[in-house]
Amino acid sequence: MSLRVVFLGTAGSIPTTKRSLPAIAIRRKDELILFDCGEGAQRQMIQARIGFHRKTKVFITHMHGDHVLGLPGLFQTMSLLDRDKKLEIYGPPKIKAFVEAIQQTVQFTLTFPIEVSEIEKAGLICEEKEYEIHAIWTDHGIPSLAYALIEKPRPGRFHQEKAKSLGVPKGPLWSRLQHGSTVKLPDGRIVKPEDVLGPPRPGRKIVYTGDTRPLEELVELAENADLLIHEATFDDELIERTRENGHSTPSQAAETAKKAGAKWLVLTHISARYKEPKLLLEQAKKIFPKVDVAEDFMEIELPLLDKNY
Ligand code: ZN
């Protein structure tokens, strides 16, 4: 089952000819999850061929304009395309007032319901059947969140031979065992899922930092992440400026990835001063080898790992 990350905007603060403002799309089954919604996000979505009619959740990290000003345009485009599915928005305090202000002042007809959840407490903020979203507060000067998308473990592999040898007739009973239910056979014997299933298979984990200084809680959030998307606004030489502005350098991002045991680090929120990101990449690579600098429209596919089972 595919889990695809599309970087829609990878700039920090102001857009450049090559980089749009922060927005990351994650496509999972029939659902779209957006992390941040910088200006022009909807045009980037068109270019990346991401539809506007999917079940969609938007997670805003903080209320700095570069991360949130794409919402009005997104609402308008979705409405003009007659979206009718609910749009869920999660974000820090003031996100509700912002969305209400758009609806009250911008003249357009909204064709779909919007549900806004203002996050007040870190922790589990959204639970679905197959995944959870966790949030922590970061260190950025204003209330700012980092998010983790964590897939729940899937039931282990179904061993047909074991089911057959236990005399479980093929059909609905197989299916119930596969989905984790205990079943009673026609002759009265009980068969438990663990009798016929391998160990549970782990899901995938993606962490997005938003804007932040280095933070111990971030290391915890990113523990064993398959993908850590970390801001790296300025390079290591500008560490003082980075600290003053509540950001991170490539080395700091790489340290977090290393301590967390993340599998893959992608740097984003790149300052307009870097016409080309080689320097940022080199600085991070010294500490954490599996690293890339995001570009607009870069795509990452995270496969399900079934190894060892
Ligand atoms: Zn910011």
Side-chain angles (χ1 to χ4, degrees):
M1 190 247 307
S2 128
L3 187 65
R4 180 176 294 238
V5 182
V6 186
F7 290 85
L8 298 174
T10 59
S13 311
I14 58 167
T16 69
T17 52
K18 294 212 176 103
R19 294 183 187 275
S20 192
L21 291 168
I24 298 164
I26 299 174
R27 291 171 67 170
R28 189 184 183 282
K29 286 189 168 174
D30 59 347
E31 191 173 10
L32 173 67
I33 292 165
L34 277 180
F35 284 146
D36 279 334
C37 191
E39 264 173 280
Q42 92 272 42
R43 184 164 182 271
Q44 300 296 94
M45 286 169 70
I46 290 168
Q47 207 158 327
R49 299 182 187 283
I50 292 170
F52 292 99
H53 296 281
R54 291 163 184 271
K55 191 177 167 194
T56 303
K57 295 188 178 82
V58 185
F59 296 88
I60 298 293
T61 56
H62 63 297
M63 295 306 290
H64 279 153
D66 52 330
H67 294 253
V68 74
L69 288 177
L71 285 178
L74 184 67
F75 297 166
Q76 168 120 10
T77 297
M78 283 178 159
S79 291
L80 290 171
L81 294 172
D82 287 329
R83 178 189 171 91
D84 53 12
K85 283 196 189 74
K86 181 173 74 178
L87 181 71
E88 292 174 48
I89 300 174
Y90 296 78
K94 296 205 175 118
I95 186 70
K96 215 168 203 163
F98 178 61
V99 170
E100 279 168 12
I102 296 166
Q103 289 175 271
Q104 283 159 14
T105 56
V106 182
Q107 295 294 304
F108 67 109
T109 306
L110 198 66
T111 60
F112 54 91
I114 296 178
E115 193 179 282
V116 185
S117 305
E118 228 166 61
I119 298 166
E120 281 160 10
K121 246 177 66 195
L124 174 66
I125 56 147
C126 167
E127 176 155 27
E128 291 284 333
K129 193 164 160 243
E130 293 183 355
Y131 68 86
E132 294 175 348
I133 306 279
H134 292 248
I136 60 159
W137 295 107
T138 69
D139 180 11
H140 185 51
I142 65 166
S144 191
L145 295 151
Y147 293 108
L149 163 67
I150 304 169
E151 287 182 328
K152 295 178 183 175
R154 293 164 298 137
R157 195 172 287 288
F158 183 69
H159 296 297
Q160 296 191 2
E161 327 73 57
K162 282 192 188 166
K164 280 181 195 158
S165 71
L166 288 168
V168 186
K170 199 171 173 178
L173 292 180
W174 278 30
S175 163
R176 284 175 54 200
L177 284 164
Q178 267 167 328
H179 288 95
S181 304
T182 297
V183 300
K184 193 172 179 183
L185 301 187
D187 63 12
R189 280 183 300 127
I190 300 291
V191 178
K192 291 183 179 155
E194 54 266 36
D195 298 334
V196 293
L197 297 181
R201 292 173 286 180
R204 293 156 290 192
K205 180 174 181 181
I206 299 173
V207 174
Y208 171 52
T209 63
D211 290 1
T212 186
R213 299 181 182 98
L215 191 69
E216 204 44 48
E217 287 88 333
L218 210 49
V219 175
E220 281 167 39
L221 188 75
E223 194 182 358
N224 295 325
D226 296 277
L227 178 63
L228 171 60
I229 304 167
H230 200 302
E231 74 119 298
T233 309
F234 300 118
D235 76 276
D236 291 351
E237 304 293 315
L238 299 178
I239 185 134
E240 275 313 313
R241 179 160 175 200
T242 308
R243 190 174 297 133
E244 276 163 29
N245 290 293
H247 289 297
S248 296
T249 68
S251 291
Q252 290 173 329
E255 279 294 347
T256 298
K258 190 176 164 185
K259 281 192 220 159
K263 297 188 184 76
W264 193 345
L265 170 66
V266 173
L267 306 178
T268 191
H269 201 269
I270 309 301
S271 161
R273 66 168 54 222
Y274 305 105
K275 298 290 168 266
E276 92 103 69
K278 205 168 148 219
L279 175 68
L280 304 171
L281 190 66
E282 281 168 0
Q283 291 176 348
K285 245 191 181 136
K286 283 184 199 152
I287 295 164
F288 191 83
K290 178 68 176 156
V291 55
D292 286 286
V293 177
E295 286 169 18
D296 284 19
F297 305 114
M298 184 171 106
E299 293 199 17
I300 289 177
E301 176 88 44
L302 291 176
L304 275 174
L305 295 177
D306 276 354
K307 60 182 181 188
N308 304 330
Y309 302 117

